[in-house]
Amino acid sequence: MRVRGFIALSLGALAALTAAAPAGAGDVLTGTLKKIKDSGAVTLGYRESSLPFSFLDGTGKPVGYAIDLCLDVVDDIAAEIGRPDLAIRYEPVTSENRIPAVTSGRIDIECGSTTANPERRRQVAFSPVTYLSATKLLVRRDSPVKSFRDLAGRTVAVTAGTTNEGALRTLFAQLKIPATIVTGRDHAESFAMVKDGRADALGLDDILLYGLIAGAGPEGAAYTVLPDKLSFEPYGLMFRKDDPEFAGLVSGTFTRIAESRELRWLYEKWFLKRLPNGERLNVPMSDELRTSFQVIGLQD
């Protein structure tokens, strides 16, 4: 997507989110804010292997870039509803059940690596863009597969419920590539299919592929990510739609952390500095993502 078009998209999304500001202290709360105040707790959905966005550290604690962004939202929720003692509950979700978890009320915010596309926006709402990714392929370095065009007669792993699965099925159908697609329950299981030879490649968002390689330690050196970009994936935090109070609060959180430069610091923490396992992703912020962050207040 061209930067000019992306700026227009970001501005449109920002205008929609800021159309309704959070309720004032004297207003009657509704929707998610009322649910959270009444229960005294906010429930965050997390992914177990979506490094660096949402994953479990060595102690089993959910951590990551998206988790930190969600915790900033939680701080503003606590201030808005007057509950400094607000409890935080964590609930694991998968690619397949994350949207039902939001719409059913099982979780209040999904803190992961979810693409904010038009189809999903008909079911849920999203924060401003948190990251921009693209579907790519991971293969073993010694693999004969050097491009998606080399997948004829081969097997590709994807994670069930991801946009990557749909992108690859469409691509293979359009180009008449006779490849077999197999699905894993989560990204770790999909990666395992390539490791043990059940699949020749793994189709996933590029940053998640880099995260899987980094998370594999020394063994990760045996894998590489092919350069072909097979789809465009803008990420966002996911929450229930038709809730203008909550949407306004989330939008306000992003403006706050952009203007204070915390948003840049969080990016550097998870994409440039050492991860909990000691590895680095070394993925600089793209020009498109920087433009998106500037739209909501980030200064150079």
Side-chain angles (χ1 to χ4, degrees):
M1 178 179 289
R2 296 184 183 275
V3 172
R4 183 179 299 175
F6 183 77
I7 293 174
L9 176 62
S10 299
L11 286 170
L14 182 65
L17 280 170
T18 56
D27 295 331
V28 176
L29 296 173
T30 62
T32 300
L33 290 177
K34 182 178 188 303
K35 172 181 178 293
I36 292 171
K37 183 171 185 178
D38 289 347
S39 67
V42 58
T43 304
L44 305 181
Y46 71 91
R47 306 290 296 278
E48 296 183 343
S49 57
S50 289
L51 188 153
F53 298 90
S54 181
F55 61 103
L56 297 176
D57 67 9
T59 67
K61 176 185 176 183
V63 296
Y65 174 62
I67 296 291
D68 280 354
L69 292 174
C70 279
L71 291 176
D72 271 310
V73 174
V74 171
D75 286 343
D76 289 346
I77 292 172
E80 178 68 17
I81 66 176
R83 291 293 300 263
D85 59 340
L86 185 64
I88 302 174
R89 298 171 182 163
Y90 290 96
E91 181 76 19
V93 296
T94 67
S95 295
E96 285 191 295
N97 69 20
R98 56 188 164 179
I99 291 178
V102 171
T103 57
S104 69
R106 183 160 67 90
I107 64 174
D108 298 308
I109 318 173
E110 193 255 351
C111 316
S113 51
T114 298
T115 299
N117 60 21
E119 179 183 358
R120 287 173 174 167
R121 287 184 183 278
R122 287 193 285 270
Q123 304 177 71
V124 293
F126 287 92
S127 71
V129 171
T130 59
Y131 190 81
L132 293 168
S133 187
T135 298
K136 290 189 178 182
L137 296 171
L138 174 148
V139 298
R140 296 191 67 91
R141 287 190 180 275
D142 58 3
S143 170
V145 177
K146 306 302 180 185
S147 164
F148 67 90
R149 293 180 175 84
D150 299 327
L151 290 171
R154 301 183 184 276
T155 300
V156 183
V158 297
T159 301
T162 60
T163 54
N164 314 110
E165 178 180 0
L168 288 175
R169 290 190 187 280
T170 299
L171 178 69
F172 293 158
Q174 289 176 341
L175 300 182
K176 295 181 170 51
I177 298 174
T180 299
I181 292 180
V182 293
T183 58
R185 187 188 70 86
D186 56 25
H187 303 327
E189 183 175 297
S190 301
F191 188 25
M193 293 183 186
V194 180
K195 289 181 179 179
D196 62 23
R198 285 177 289 162
D200 300 288
L202 166 59
L204 192 63
D205 296 350
D206 54 4
I207 188 61
L208 299 179
L209 294 175
Y210 303 142
L212 289 171
I213 290 173
E219 183 185 353
Y223 302 91
T224 188
V225 177
L226 301 182
D228 300 320
K229 292 184 178 181
L230 308 179
S231 72
F232 176 72
E233 309 290 336
Y235 292 176
L237 306 182
M238 183 168 57
F239 50 93
R240 282 176 288 282
K241 65 178 300 186
D242 300 325
D243 190 344
E245 283 185 346
F246 196 71
L249 183 140
V250 172
S251 177
T253 297
F254 274 75
T255 297
R256 174 176 64 79
I257 64 176
E259 292 178 344
S260 69
R261 298 177 65 84
E262 181 184 349
L263 191 52
R264 180 187 295 277
W265 179 82
L266 287 177
Y267 184 93
E268 293 174 351
K269 172 185 175 182
W270 292 104
F271 295 91
L272 298 177
K273 298 182 183 298
R274 292 195 184 278
L275 297 170
N277 66 355
E279 299 291 334
R280 292 179 188 264
L281 291 178
N282 289 323
V283 178
M285 187 182 297
S286 68
D287 291 340
E288 292 85 356
L289 185 60
R290 183 177 294 105
T291 298
S292 177
F293 287 169
Q294 288 171 343
V295 168
I296 59 175
L298 181 66
Q299 301 296 316
D300 287 333

